[in-house]
Amino acid sequence: MKHVVSGDRNAYDRCIFHVFDHAGRAVLILGLGVYPNAGVIDAYATLRLGDRLHAVRASDALGDDRTDLSVGPLRITVDTPLKRLSLHCDPDPADPGGLSYDLTWTAEFPTLWEPHHLQRRGDRLTLEGRRFVQAGNVTGVIRAGGEELRPTAAQWTGTRDRSWGVRPLPGEAGGRAAEEHRTEGFHWLWIPVRFDDRFLMVVVQEDADGHRSLNEAVQVFPEDSGRHDVQLGWPHTDIRYRPGTRHPESAVVHLTDPARKPLELGVEILNSSPLAVGAGYPPATDWQHGSWQGRGWTDRRVYDLSDPAAHPTAAYGVTDHSARFTLDGRTGHGIFEHGSFGRHDPSGFADFSSVAP
């Protein structure tokens, strides 16, 4: 978007892609955002391979051409709207072993509107977002750390999410609303899953007492199937956490089909990538989306994820887990995005220090 209806500095227009193999070895997360009232465009890519997280970030002054989805070495090209996109990261001339990729993302299912997302602190609207999500396959090449990965449609999955509206940018003081309306707890699940014959999307956001402010569970079918979207009720999730953490290891999402038949979406976590490390999501300490870094800023680095204590803020941000899913005899693959901070009564978490026994 070039002009938005509001002068709110937090106006944004952003996308995210998840590219991951079905064996759980690699998770590539990339995205690009524009912030019209802040005059910033930025992009990022992170690849988890083993305990190494390879990251590339770039930021610049926003230009006039909104069809130019590129910043620094990172570029997204819309080849066929809602059908095929090209994803590209130039290699680093100073480090040939750094992260680079050249990928084609191809849709297998139509886009799905996610519920209108609203969030307030006191009476102030702090977040208003519209989103759509889509699943498909990815082919091409990814290079990092001296390795070359070649995604195939059969062994890799690609999901993407596009959102726009108002979302907090760094650098703004919270004032009275932040001081008098402190968040007691936040629990979040965002679960896009690609099966061979359907795409399943689950979204849940709950407050400290379990009050649900966002809820969706829908099945989407290929465009040529002639089948309508199917709602799957009010999802409830049982999560098995790694002892002493809030890191999920497996889960069961309880759904209900239109005939009121119970369905169980089984979740087996394969790999994990914390968005607060490398990808610029709060509470990242080295770079966050929409922050002005000056013209032509590019940053490349490799994070060691073998020691969680080295990244203490990651536990207070959302983590994207690639996962294997089962549903009614089918096996699929997708993302189990999870964040749980502070009190959450349904999970038995009493405060920000609470973890699974």
Side-chain angles (χ1 to χ4, degrees):
M1 300 177 188
K2 185 170 183 180
H3 301 290
V4 294
V5 69
S6 170
D8 193 326
R9 71 181 291 273
N10 297 304
Y12 83 106
D13 185 357
R14 196 159 75 206
C15 62
I16 185 172
F17 291 78
H18 296 86
V19 177
F20 49 94
D21 71 322
H22 298 170
R25 185 162 184 264
V27 180
L28 173 68
I29 303 175
L30 62 101
L32 182 145
V34 300
Y35 311 88
N37 295 333
V40 173
I41 179 171
D42 54 31
Y44 67 92
T46 65
L47 173 70
R48 178 159 190 179
L49 272 177
D51 287 329
R52 298 288 179 179
L53 188 75
H54 303 262
V56 180
R57 296 89 64 85
S59 178
D60 210 336
L62 181 60
D64 289 332
D65 185 0
R66 292 298 187 270
T67 64
D68 181 9
L69 303 179
S70 64
V71 54
L74 299 161
R75 181 170 71 256
I76 298 171
T77 304
V78 180
D79 301 314
T80 305
L82 306 181
K83 300 289 186 182
R84 190 177 72 252
L85 298 96
S86 295
L87 314 174
H88 186 82
C89 177
D90 293 333
D92 182 3
D95 180 15
L99 174 61
S100 66
Y101 53 82
D102 196 355
L103 301 169
T104 299
W105 189 99
T106 304
E108 294 183 344
F109 299 90
T111 56
L112 171 67
W113 278 111
E114 297 179 47
H116 192 189
H117 195 182
L118 294 169
Q119 198 164 296
R120 289 181 170 84
R121 176 166 280 185
D123 290 331
R124 185 193 173 191
L125 182 70
T126 56
L127 186 152
E128 181 180 11
R130 292 308 311 262
R131 294 190 178 95
F132 67 77
V133 64
Q134 194 173 23
N137 66 68
V138 180
T139 57
V141 62
I142 304 170
R143 296 182 177 90
E147 292 195 52
E148 183 174 283
L149 308 174
R150 291 197 170 271
T152 63
Q155 299 299 324
W156 291 64
T157 286
T159 63
R160 74 181 187 114
D161 178 273
R162 169 77 182 278
S163 68
W164 60 90
V166 173
R167 188 168 180 165
L169 301 184
E172 181 176 281
R176 175 195 159 199
E179 184 176 316
E180 296 187 0
H181 299 278
R182 297 183 182 277
T183 301
E184 289 187 67
F186 173 84
H187 189 80
W188 169 264
L189 291 168
W190 181 81
I191 312 172
V193 187
R194 170 195 172 217
F195 294 92
D196 287 340
D197 64 342
R198 66 197 62 198
F199 170 56
L200 175 64
M201 185 67 202
V202 176
V203 182
V204 171
Q205 180 177 319
E206 292 182 344
D207 297 333
D209 60 2
H211 175 80
R212 193 165 291 190
S213 55
L214 200 65
N215 183 86
E216 187 77 295
V218 179
Q219 280 188 132
V220 178
F221 302 93
E223 288 182 328
D224 59 0
S225 69
R227 302 181 66 179
H228 297 293
D229 298 351
V230 176
Q231 295 177 316
L232 297 178
W234 188 270
H236 291 280
T237 306
D238 294 323
I239 302 175
R240 183 171 67 87
Y241 291 100
R242 182 181 300 161
T245 74
R246 295 197 197 185
H247 183 95
E249 294 189 326
S250 63
V252 176
V253 184
H254 301 278
L255 306 167
T256 307
D257 74 4
R260 299 187 180 181
K261 170 191 170 184
L263 296 172
E264 290 189 351
L265 179 67
V267 185
E268 176 192 356
I269 301 300
L270 300 176
N271 205 338
S272 305
S273 188
L275 293 182
V277 180
Y281 283 78
T285 56
D286 52 2
W287 169 73
Q288 289 191 26
H289 302 151
S291 58
W292 176 239
Q293 303 294 317
R295 292 178 180 267
W297 177 79
T298 299
D299 179 77
R300 293 177 181 260
R301 61 183 66 193
V302 179
Y303 298 87
D304 183 357
L305 299 183
S306 61
D307 180 11
H311 308 285
T313 61
Y316 298 97
V318 168
T319 297
D320 285 351
H321 308 272
S322 65
R324 182 178 297 113
F325 294 82
T326 55
L327 177 71
D328 204 18
R330 298 173 177 84
T331 298
H333 295 85
I335 293 295
F336 188 80
E337 183 174 276
H338 172 268
S340 183
F341 332 114
R343 191 180 117 228
H344 187 237
D345 295 345
S347 300
F349 298 133
D351 52 35
F352 281 90
S353 65
S354 296
V355 293

